[in-house]
Amino acid sequence: MEGTQTMNRQLACAVDDLAPGESMTLEGDQIALHRAEDGTFFATADSCTHEKWSLGTEGEIEGDELVCPLHMARFELSSGKPLCLPATVMLATYQVEVDGDQVYVLSQ
């Protein structure tokens, strides 16, 4: 079918592997998985859109925002929307599914 895109479902980690307020970079990918302080999981591009810097390894979660510590760019976790300068470009986001005790990221 034209216009139909297949989504890849990648196992990211077990739910208990990522504590609230922490992030990780998925192996072999440019995707970062984040767990907000309330326990909700989000996935974004790993690299800050302002300057190449790993958000999964170095990013900090503050409430519902992801902060790049290099120049303090802030993004909304749920949408990837840049919230302050120097970032002006949206961060790519990915759908996350929790299935039992496993966390999956869906990407194209």
Side-chain angles (χ1 to χ4, degrees), residues 27-64:
E27 249 183 76
D29 231 325
Q30 298 301 316
I31 297 175
L33 181 67
H34 314 281
R35 190 169 188 188
E37 293 164 357
D38 69 0
T40 306
F41 288 93
F42 297 94
T44 68
D46 182 51
S47 188
C48 178
T49 61
H50 167 249
E51 201 164 306
K52 302 295 182 206
W53 197 260
S54 174
L55 298 172
T57 304
E58 302 290 333
E60 300 170 5
I61 297 172
E62 294 181 7
D64 62 352

Side-chain angles (χ1 to χ4, degrees), residues 1-6:
M1 272 184 152
E2 268 185 61
T4 303
Q5 295 180 353
T6 303

Side-chain angles (χ1 to χ4, degrees), residues 33-106:
L33 181 67
H34 314 281
R35 190 169 188 188
E37 293 164 357
D38 69 0
T40 306
F41 288 93
F42 297 94
T44 68
D46 182 51
S47 188
C48 178
T49 61
H50 167 249
E51 201 164 306
K52 302 295 182 206
W53 197 260
S54 174
L55 298 172
T57 304
E58 302 290 333
E60 300 170 5
I61 297 172
E62 294 181 7
D64 62 352
E65 297 177 6
L66 177 60
V67 182
C68 178
L70 185 61
H71 293 115
M72 303 311 290
R74 292 179 169 273
F75 301 90
E76 186 176 69
L77 267 174
S78 61
S79 70
K81 176 182 173 185
L83 300 173
C84 69
L85 294 173
T88 59
V89 177
M90 286 189 70
L91 193 60
T93 59
Y94 304 91
Q95 185 178 344
V96 176
E97 290 181 352
V98 177
D99 187 357
D101 66 348
Q102 302 294 307
V103 182
Y104 296 89
V105 174
L106 303 176

